[in-house]
Amino acid sequence: MANILVCDDDKAIVEAIEIYLTQEGYHILKAYDGQEALDILNTQAIDLLIIDIMMPRLDGIRATVKIRESNPLPIIILSAKSEDTDKILGLNIGADDYITKPFNPLELIARVKSQLRRYTQLGAAAPTPSEHIYTTGGLTVNDDKKEILVDGEPVRLTPIEYNILLLLMKNQGRVFSTTQIYESIWNEDALAADNTVAVHVRHIREKIEINPREPRYLKVVWGLGYKIEKLSR
């Protein structure tokens, strides 16, 4: 049974989400501001966080930034606004997905299941006789150990970032459009997916590139998409 932390200053929304997800077999913990969510995360094992952006004491943006300093768990942002800027802001500070309020309960459940499935698969790989290792230049992805090294130094990615990088590393030199990346990683139709993919690509670059403005590995092919450059050491 997965432990899901729901954080929103609107208690009615928290209770509604609790009802929907409890019916799906999840165990729900509740917080009503960002600081309370941090306190729970420091004392209990949480598998997924659903957090609102606008809250008193510590808002969802600052809370997510603090969480991402040490915890890679899936984070779904709740936003009362529909503008793209709020969604992009949530992704920019480390969230894996977002849901705009008011939300459809079926969509909420589907997104929770999708994030938990990716996170579980990412952390539950069994060792095999031959490791699946993908290398270009000084960048290495070991898909059996779920390990990323840049010039021998480990790099921490979120599950979404890891899966995007793995897709491109497995197909070095091949250009993937934003639609192809989105549909491969999110397993759903790509509707206005350009910004979502671009934000995650930027995060990956910031973590694996010496100079993200002049990337060595993760290249953009203008008008077409993204690729990982095939390099020798």
Side-chain angles (χ1 to χ4, degrees), residues 25-85:
Y26 300 118
H27 178 239
I28 307 303
L29 294 90
K30 296 175 283 187
Y32 302 103
D33 63 61
Q35 186 57 56
E36 191 174 354
L38 290 177
D39 293 341
I40 292 174
L41 284 164
N42 286 333
T43 59
Q44 302 196 48
I46 303 298
D47 299 295
L48 182 143
L49 170 64
I50 300 173
I51 188 167
D52 186 35
I53 290 181
M54 302 299 294
M55 292 184 295
R57 195 152 72 124
L58 184 66
D59 62 41
I61 296 298
R62 290 185 293 161
T64 298
V65 170
K66 287 181 176 292
I67 292 165
R68 275 292 177 254
E69 291 176 356
S70 59
N71 196 330
L73 90 165
I75 298 176
I76 298 177
I77 288 283
L78 287 175
S79 173
K81 302 176 183 178
S82 60
E83 288 85 353
D84 283 342
T85 52

Side-chain angles (χ1 to χ4, degrees), residues 115-217:
Q115 289 299 326
L116 284 172
R117 182 168 59 250
R118 292 190 197 99
Y119 188 63
T120 301
Q121 291 172 347
L122 182 60
T128 57
S130 59
E131 295 177 338
H132 297 86
I133 300 175
Y134 308 92
T135 300
T136 179
L139 173 63
T140 298
V141 176
N142 185 322
D143 193 35
D144 287 323
K145 294 181 179 179
K146 306 303 176 188
E147 180 182 68
I148 300 160
L149 299 175
V150 178
D151 297 325
E153 295 296 322
V155 173
R156 182 191 294 269
L157 298 184
T158 67
I160 291 291
E161 292 165 3
Y162 178 89
N163 287 329
I164 291 173
L165 180 60
L166 180 63
L167 172 68
L168 298 177
M169 285 290 285
K170 284 182 174 180
N171 299 275
Q172 293 176 32
R174 176 181 168 185
V175 178
F176 284 81
S177 68
T178 54
T179 296
Q180 289 173 320
I181 293 173
Y182 190 93
E183 292 180 349
S184 294
I185 303 304
W186 277 264
N187 295 315
E188 61 187 34
D189 291 339
L191 301 175
D194 288 3
N195 285 336
T196 300
V197 172
V199 168
H200 286 291
V201 166
R202 186 168 74 250
H203 288 166
I204 295 169
R205 279 177 167 168
E206 289 169 353
K207 296 173 182 180
I208 69 171
E209 303 283 2
I210 294 176
N211 182 358
R213 293 177 179 269
E214 297 180 6
R216 182 185 183 203
Y217 302 113

